[in-house]
Amino acid sequence: MSSTTESSSPDPKVLNFGVLLIHNYQWLDAAGCIDYLNNHSYGSLKLLNAEPHLLATVPIMNWHYLSSTGDLKDVPASAGPPHRPTTTFAECPELDYLVVPGPDPTGQLSEECIKFVQERFPTLKGLLTICSGSLAIAQTGVLDGVQAASNKWALGMLAKAGLLNRKVKWVGDKRFVKDGKVWTGAGVTAGIDLAAEFARVHFPKEVVELVQDISEYVPNPAQPDPFARLLEGVKLD
């Protein structure tokens, strides 16, 4: 089951995104990244009367909201309304991309969640994490040896406490990082910039610029990162 299934067009390209809902995830981590990405979809641009030649270049995006809760109970976020999952780990359809907003950086993933990520990661076209989402996913082992960004405040806190997973190559001076098919954003609002960079790589320039105008947003580059100062003197490796 999908939360959003858009009207079809002739031979449309369809992308299936999964969103991992971990209890008390940061609301803006999810909302900023997801909404900005979805602005590049066929359904969103059709509603805004985009030119037909542009609609022919963009995908239909289906969004699947994941939880381990068997009866699909609402999952609370850091703020805003609780989010009702649309599928479970066991019933989730094939995904192209998995998006992971950040939860409590010291929280532990369930065994069911860890198994799901480990099994699905090889077939994903991409994994996108925002904020402490990378710290959570590091528990699965799929980020071992991967360069990754995360919330700098959380990285510093865990490093100083001796709790940082050092199998990951943490990057402390970038707003977002791409390493292979892994896309990681730094703290909270960096998720929008991560989404903008993903869009720049995957969608036509004219579409990307149109969405920037619609959103009234100028994306920030990976560097310079004004928040790199938060990790000055902190050893991450």
Side-chain angles (χ1 to χ4, degrees):
M1 183 166 63
S2 167
S3 63
T4 305
T5 303
E6 301 170 0
S7 300
S8 62
S9 59
D11 299 319
K13 179 179 180 180
V14 177
L15 294 178
N16 286 297
F17 286 82
V19 181
L20 184 58
L21 299 179
I22 305 171
H23 276 230
N24 297 314
Y25 67 91
Q26 187 76 35
W27 177 243
L28 186 54
D29 287 1
C33 181
I34 294 168
D35 200 45
Y36 197 87
L37 283 175
N38 196 66
N39 283 346
H40 298 80
S41 70
Y42 179 90
S44 288
L45 291 176
K46 185 177 182 181
L47 284 174
L48 294 169
N49 297 317
E51 296 292 334
H53 75 279
L54 293 182
L55 292 177
T57 68
V58 295
I60 289 172
M61 293 184 185
N62 295 328
W63 294 89
H64 307 272
Y65 295 90
L66 291 148
S67 172
S68 60
T69 308
D71 55 2
L72 300 180
K73 291 181 180 179
D74 291 352
V75 177
S78 61
H83 203 135
R84 177 150 298 178
T86 58
T87 190
T88 64
F89 295 133
E91 298 173 347
C92 181
E94 290 298 312
L95 299 174
D96 296 297
Y97 298 96
L98 180 63
V99 179
V100 185
D104 176 354
T106 63
Q108 295 297 308
L109 296 180
S110 68
E111 288 300 319
E112 183 185 13
C113 180
I114 290 173
K115 182 181 179 181
F116 174 82
V117 174
Q118 291 172 337
E119 291 179 347
R120 291 299 186 102
F121 182 74
T123 61
L124 292 174
K125 294 177 181 176
L127 169 67
L128 292 80
T129 71
I130 305 97
C131 196
S132 58
S134 54
L135 289 166
I137 293 300
Q139 298 174 35
T140 70
V142 303
L143 298 186
D144 289 1
V146 174
Q147 295 187 68
S150 195
N151 181 285
K152 295 176 183 62
W153 186 269
L155 284 175
M157 177 183 69
L158 294 176
K160 293 171 184 175
L163 299 174
L164 185 62
N165 183 333
R166 298 185 186 274
K167 295 180 181 180
V168 182
K169 297 179 180 178
W170 297 111
V171 177
D173 62 352
K174 292 185 178 181
R175 196 152 171 81
F176 54 82
V177 174
K178 179 183 181 297
D179 188 349
K181 66 178 184 179
V182 177
W183 300 69
T184 53
V188 192
T189 58
I192 302 175
D193 296 320
L194 180 74
E197 177 64 9
F198 180 93
R200 185 190 68 81
V201 170
H202 287 89
F203 305 128
K205 182 179 180 181
E206 191 175 357
V207 171
V208 169
E209 292 177 346
L210 173 60
V211 170
Q212 289 178 10
D213 287 345
I214 291 169
S215 305
E216 297 189 22
Y217 187 70
V218 178
N220 295 295
Q223 288 181 310
D225 183 350
F227 299 100
R229 60 180 171 75
L230 296 175
L231 288 172
E232 289 178 0
V234 177
K235 186 174 177 59
L236 298 178
D237 53 17

